[in-house]
Amino acid sequence: MKRSEFKKLTDERLIFLDGATGSNLIKRGMPAGVCPEKWILDHEDIFVGLQREYVEAGSNIIYAPTFTANRIKLKEYGLQDDIVAINRGLVALSKKAAGDKALVAADITMTGEQLSPMGKMEFEELIDIYKEQIRITCDAGVDLIVVETMMSLQETRAALIAAGEVCDLPVMATLTFEADGKTLYGTDAVTAAVTLEKLGACAIGANCSTGPDQMVDVIRDIAAVVSIPVIAKPNAGLPSLNEQGETVYDMDEPEFAEGIRELVKAGASVIGGCCGTSPSYIKALSEALEGQERVLRQEQLSRKIESEGIRRLTSERKTVSFGLDSPFMIVGERINPTGKKKLQEQLREGNLEMVLSFTQEQEDCGASFLDINVGMSGIDEKEMMLKVLEEVTMTTSLPLSLDSSHVDVLEAALRRYPGRALINSVSAESEKLEKLLPIARKYGAMFILLPLSDAGLPASLEEKIAIIEKIVEKALELGMTKEDIVVDGLVTTIGANPNAAREVLETIRYCKANGLATICGLSNISFGLPERSFVNTAFLTMAIRE
């Protein structure tokens, strides 16, 4: 299935998913403690029967039971060497059940191993584990991929990156959120949604954790900030133990269907059930919405996105939003060794004391974002950038601007950064335009557009605007939007060019008129002049006014 086909399908109507698998198989004879994938393959009639019931109940997409069929989980049963046969066999069973009446999604989830530094799993190792399973399921003929029941935004990112490097199938992603609206690792729904949509998810939402009534706020928050379909796959209410010691849920089919209706009102358009649900729940849901699927979806699409025109950058735990008319924001740029001998010495020693001190000081002083630059001689810049990222992201929740003159360093940092970063910067210089811009697109980053070309500084305002237009056009061709771009006004000193301030102000005017956000290096305007603070203050006041 192509992404365009998925978009057309989900634009046309509400989409029904399936319900729980494991709990229903237990009711049908699967004992505790066995490898569920192996048991399913040994009892295929039971599993195919269950999934056919879901299809008959109205499921448009069913999940292949590959949920824990990754190398790490299979190793617990000594079955890691059978990973190909197991995943292929499980996909084949779901395809048999679906026939031509439903699509089949490869089901991918967490491995159970924590990522470094909290655990021993390295990020690239996790990507490779996901690549292996995704490649097998794609070869087996799944129609799409779902990454579900995720508690970690970074692990979800790893799965999306893996999928994008293995195939071009649509990828849906759902995370589980606690009662406070955050994942177990502290990511809120908006931050997860913004990050994953920009990274390439075709649908994003929530599953498990709660019943539909407690999922409404999460779904509403996600729907307010994304342009892709929103998924809701809640439990059948709250769990408890009955007299036989079995886990039961407190929401029956009609109550569950009514709860899903509220989630549709909140913005969900891909809907199903998780723990405690069965084919009868999906049947009740599809019957409750029968004949309304297209109307309800068109009503959703006709609503104006509340945040249209808003730009968002994220860390793993926070989103910072701004628009063209927002108050100006400060990017802290002290984490840069240029001209800082003591910081250079510490970096060469692998000491990050000053880096972390600068991080806290800048946050305390009101910075909205922090710029990270470790470019200097005597160190491995890529290695140091990744080390600094790891420490800084544990110290602050502010989103980061990643700054390097080397494309490979920026790509390594973007790949590892657990949110949506800002790239500082992309110019019209050949290497940056041809290599870095596609990387920004791949990892869903926002970027600072620096109006420089291979010829150097633009000779006039007209040339600067021409460079801006060239880079914007290239970005749009790659599928990016104007909201992904922040234009650097390219401030130079009025000591050398008396028209420098005027040209920057004209650039800001041009950008705002054309829907582009702007940024500038304030102190450059007064370089080489006495009483610099007065010059900076006057210029900043005029720039904000524009």
Side-chain angles (χ1 to χ4, degrees):
M1 184 183 214
K2 295 180 180 179
R3 290 172 180 245
S4 58
E5 293 172 329
F6 180 82
K7 183 179 187 305
K8 184 175 185 298
L9 175 67
T10 54
D11 279 352
E12 288 178 346
R13 51 161 295 164
L14 301 181
I15 300 298
F16 297 110
L17 303 173
D18 57 14
T21 296
S23 58
N24 285 291
L25 291 179
I26 289 172
K27 290 179 181 178
R28 299 180 189 209
M30 186 173 75
V34 301
C35 172
E37 291 80 17
K38 181 69 165 56
W39 190 90
I40 289 170
L41 291 172
D42 290 340
H43 301 80
E44 62 177 68
D45 289 346
I46 294 175
F47 175 74
V48 171
L50 171 64
Q51 288 213 309
R52 280 180 174 160
E53 289 179 33
Y54 277 125
V55 174
E56 291 166 2
S59 296
N60 306 117
I61 299 174
I62 57 175
Y63 290 8
T66 54
F67 184 67
T68 52
N70 59 69
R71 178 168 294 277
I72 299 298
K73 297 300 290 186
L74 290 176
K75 188 176 181 180
E76 296 177 9
Y77 303 97
L79 296 171
Q80 66 272 23
D81 293 337
D82 298 327
I83 185 171
V84 174
I86 288 174
N87 278 275
R88 281 184 172 275
L90 296 173
V91 170
L93 294 182
S94 289
K95 287 172 69 68
K96 180 178 179 180
D100 59 359
K101 296 180 179 179
L103 300 172
V104 174
D107 194 352
I108 308 296
T109 194
M110 298 175 74
T111 65
E113 296 284 343
Q114 287 189 318
L115 281 173
S116 173
M118 297 181 67
K120 297 180 180 180
M121 177 78 72
E122 293 299 329
F123 190 65
E124 289 301 325
E125 181 183 0
L126 180 59
I127 289 176
D128 287 342
I129 288 168
Y130 283 138
K131 276 186 176 182
E132 179 182 36
Q133 188 183 10
I134 291 170
R135 184 180 290 110
I136 296 166
T137 56
C138 287
D139 291 344
V142 296
D143 299 295
L144 68 158
I145 297 162
V146 59
V147 181
E148 67 151 331
T149 322
M150 302 298 285
M151 302 177 192
S152 161
L153 176 59
Q154 186 69 323
E155 292 184 41
T156 314
R157 287 185 71 255
L160 259 69
I161 290 170
E165 293 180 350
V166 166
C167 67
D168 58 359
L169 293 180
V171 183
M172 305 193 302
T174 56
L175 294 91
T176 64
F177 296 92
E178 305 296 314
D180 62 357
K182 297 180 179 180
T183 68
L184 184 64
Y185 287 75
T187 301
D188 63 272
V190 167
T191 296
V194 170
T195 302
L196 298 176
E197 178 180 15
K198 289 299 180 180
L199 195 58
C202 292
I204 175 70
N207 80 290
C208 206
S209 295
T210 67
D213 51 337
Q214 295 174 299
M215 196 178 276
V216 172
D217 288 342
V218 164
I219 296 303
R220 184 179 292 114
D221 287 346
I222 293 173
V225 299
V226 300
S227 60
I228 54 178
V230 178
I231 308 166
K233 209 170 190 279
N235 296 338
L238 297 174
S240 63
L241 293 177
N242 62 16
E243 294 179 355
Q244 290 74 41
E246 301 168 328
T247 300
V248 294
Y249 289 79
D250 66 359
M251 192 172 280
D252 62 16
E253 289 90 334
E255 190 178 0
F256 178 79
E258 183 56 35
I260 292 289
R261 185 184 289 276
E262 293 303 310
L263 290 174
V264 170
K265 290 180 182 178
S269 61
V270 181
I271 48 182
C274 204
C275 301
T277 62
S278 64
S280 62
Y281 281 76
I282 302 305
K283 188 173 190 294
L285 172 59
S286 61
E287 288 178 348
L289 295 173
E290 186 175 4
Q292 305 173 58
E293 304 97 318
R294 296 182 187 280
V295 173
L296 290 171
R297 182 55 176 148
Q298 292 310 306
E299 287 179 357
Q300 289 178 342
L301 291 172
S302 67
R303 297 174 195 161
K304 185 177 181 180
I305 296 177
E306 297 176 13
S307 54
E308 187 174 355
I310 299 298
R311 285 84 171 153
R312 292 183 175 84
L313 291 168
T314 76
S315 63
E316 191 172 17
R317 302 180 301 279
K318 182 177 182 178
T319 298
V320 176
S321 307
F322 61 96
L324 296 184
D325 295 316
S326 299
F328 90 100
M329 308 173 89
I330 297 171
V331 179
E333 292 191 302
R334 296 197 70 192
I335 303 174
N336 187 327
T338 304
K340 300 183 180 76
K341 291 185 177 180
K342 186 174 180 181
L343 178 57
Q344 292 175 12
E345 291 174 3
Q346 287 196 0
L347 291 177
R348 288 193 182 99
E349 296 168 355
N351 182 349
L352 300 186
E353 181 180 347
M354 285 187 70
V355 167
L356 299 182
S357 176
F358 286 158
T359 297
Q360 193 61 58
E361 288 172 6
Q362 290 178 110
E363 182 172 6
D364 292 344
C365 288
S368 297
F369 315 101
L370 299 182
D371 190 80
I372 307 295
N373 185 320
V374 294
M376 55 175 278
S377 63
I379 63 170
D380 181 326
E381 185 181 347
K382 184 187 298 185
E383 180 182 331
M384 182 57 68
M385 173 65 88
L386 296 179
K387 182 177 180 180
V388 168
L389 274 185
E390 184 174 283
E391 294 295 327
V392 169
T393 54
M394 289 192 295
T395 302
T396 181
S397 60
L398 293 182
L400 302 184
S401 169
L402 307 176
D403 190 356
S404 175
S405 58
H406 300 289
V407 172
D408 64 319
V409 173
L410 286 171
E411 179 168 21
L414 288 169
R415 193 171 177 86
R416 190 71 60 86
Y417 180 67
R420 188 190 187 207
L422 177 66
I423 295 176
N424 187 12
S425 55
V426 177
S427 68
E429 296 164 294
S430 299
E431 183 177 18
K432 292 289 184 72
L433 193 61
E434 299 303 322
K435 295 182 180 180
L436 187 52
L437 202 53
I439 289 171
R441 176 71 178 89
K442 174 180 178 178
Y443 294 102
M446 191 182 296
F447 71 92
I448 294 174
L449 186 162
L450 186 65
L452 296 176
S453 68
D454 289 322
L457 288 168
S460 64
L461 176 61
E462 291 72 25
E463 185 180 341
K464 182 192 291 187
I465 291 175
I467 294 172
I468 292 171
E469 291 176 344
K470 177 180 179 180
I471 300 173
V472 169
E473 181 180 4
K474 181 71 172 178
L476 297 181
E477 288 175 359
L478 290 172
M480 303 179 81
T481 68
K482 288 185 177 181
E483 286 74 27
D484 298 323
I485 304 168
V486 181
V487 178
D488 191 324
L490 200 60
V491 179
T492 58
T493 176
I494 56 174
N497 176 12
N499 292 320
R502 185 186 303 275
E503 290 175 359
V504 174
L505 298 177
E506 290 289 348
T507 302
I508 294 173
R509 283 192 205 104
Y510 164 83
C511 289
K512 187 169 184 180
N514 286 275
L516 296 166
T518 52
I519 191 171
C520 67
L522 173 62
S523 63
N524 292 343
I525 197 71
S526 62
F527 184 77
L529 298 177
E531 304 294 347
R532 295 183 64 182
S533 62
F534 294 110
V535 178
N536 293 346
T537 300
F539 175 69
L540 178 59
T541 302
M542 290 187 286
I544 293 172
R545 178 67 180 82
E546 293 298 333

